[in-house]
Amino acid sequence: MRIEHAFLFDLDGTLVDSVYQHVLAWKEALDTEGIDLSIWRIHRKIGMSGGLFTNQLLRETGIEITDEKNERLRHLHAEAYRRLGAQIRPLPGASELLQWLSDAKIPFAIATSGRMETAAVNIAALGIDPEAFPVITRDKVKYAKPDPDLFIAAAEALGVAIENSVVVGDAIWDMLAATRCKALGVGLLSGGYGQEELRNAGAIRVYEDPADLLYHIDEVGGRR
């Protein structure tokens, strides 16, 4: 008897080439609030929960991040990101990978630490119907990555056991979350993290981008 499984995708840096737009949007937001943080430090936090982002920011800068300031930063980031939205493109093979899964009748969902205000920009760039599959955003769960809530909610929306799911992401936060909910983690290099970093965080396989994953789809449970 075949075990029903599913693919649960991160969005930024996994399906769309948007990590550096997020970095620049956060840099603009932080600069507006008078918070000086190097771009490379921002990049290392993309993909984690916004709350954890600001907690780490507090530790690194010593600046008090109040709820009011945190909310301002979030809105400033979203506004800057929407302006950069025209630059965002699907990563190589992303559309083809999702189409292959649809044709193979393998369920999939998107689980992103971004809120819908920014996720909508990425979904539009993908050119896919967001009603055709579950899209779980930060707005729908209590905690975001590296907590596993997003992926658990995505698996539940598909009616598939999380232990039988394959989590595909570009960041260590995705792999840590996958490990915590006993899903299989598959890493992509398209977000800027290295192969060793992703493997150390729990990835069982690492590929270059969605196109490379599709080429090796049989290695991670893809069967027509």
Side-chain angles (χ1 to χ4, degrees), residues 142-168:
K142 185 174 182 180
Y143 298 113
K145 306 164 195 174
D147 286 277
D149 301 35
L150 285 162
F151 294 124
I152 292 172
E156 288 177 350
L158 292 170
V160 175
I162 186 64
E163 296 87 352
N164 298 335
S165 300
V166 178
V167 166
V168 182

Side-chain angles (χ1 to χ4, degrees), residues 34-63:
I35 301 172
D36 185 22
L37 193 67
S38 300
I39 287 178
W40 74 269
R41 291 189 181 277
I42 299 171
H43 174 255
R44 302 297 294 179
K45 298 172 182 60
I46 296 299
M48 66 159 48
S49 159
L52 292 180
F53 180 101
T54 52
N55 286 341
Q56 289 204 8
L57 180 64
L58 172 62
R59 287 199 295 270
E60 292 185 17
T61 64
I63 296 172

